[in-house]
Amino acid sequence: MDELLVERILRAVECVPPGSVVTYGEVAELVGTSARHVGNVMARFGHDVPWWRVTRADGRLADHVLDEARARWRAEGVPLAADGTGCELRRCRANLVELGRRYARRSADLPGD
């Protein structure tokens, strides 16, 4: 896997503020890749970044991380879905314009940015 792409994805995730959530696709658009690549990077390398702030397009996460994500969402004030399977993305989506600004500053030292 391209190390630069991994670094871009992880830095983008670090820019998502507490209490906010984005989708794999939104991170992908920000860094110039696919949602599938973002998911793969998060699964392999995302344990040291706020991974619970990146969800599927429906606000859900994989079952094996959902309990921990719910605890972290509660601590950050992220509204949970009524059925408990994810978060209410429409109410907690990060401001994507501001996220883009944060990412631009955070990744300014990377090649190609």
Side-chain angles (χ1 to χ4, degrees):
M1 187 168 288
D2 178 7
E3 290 180 28
L4 181 56
L5 179 60
V6 170
E7 185 63 24
R8 285 183 174 150
I9 290 168
L10 296 178
R11 286 189 189 193
V13 173
E14 290 173 338
C15 293
V16 180
S20 298
V21 176
V22 294
T23 68
Y24 293 110
E26 289 163 343
V27 173
E29 187 173 329
L30 186 61
V31 303
T33 191
S34 70
R36 188 172 305 271
H37 277 116
V38 172
N40 287 333
V41 167
M42 294 303 293
R44 292 180 63 193
F45 307 105
H47 58 276
D48 288 334
V49 298
W51 54 265
W52 58 94
R53 297 181 190 152
V54 184
T55 70
R56 297 175 186 158
D58 61 3
R60 296 176 185 225
L61 286 172
D63 289 341
H64 70 280
V65 297
L66 192 53
D67 286 341
E68 185 176 351
R70 275 194 295 257
R72 291 177 183 267
W73 288 334
R74 282 187 191 104
E76 292 186 4
V78 171
L80 303 179
D83 64 3
T85 61
C87 67
E88 287 192 34
L89 187 58
R90 62 182 172 74
R91 292 182 48 210
C92 58
R93 178 174 270 121
N95 178 317
L96 299 178
V97 172
E98 181 57 30
L99 179 63
R101 289 183 189 127
R102 287 179 187 210
Y103 173 71
R105 287 189 301 270
R106 180 78 173 87
S107 64
D109 65 320
L110 295 177
D113 282 350

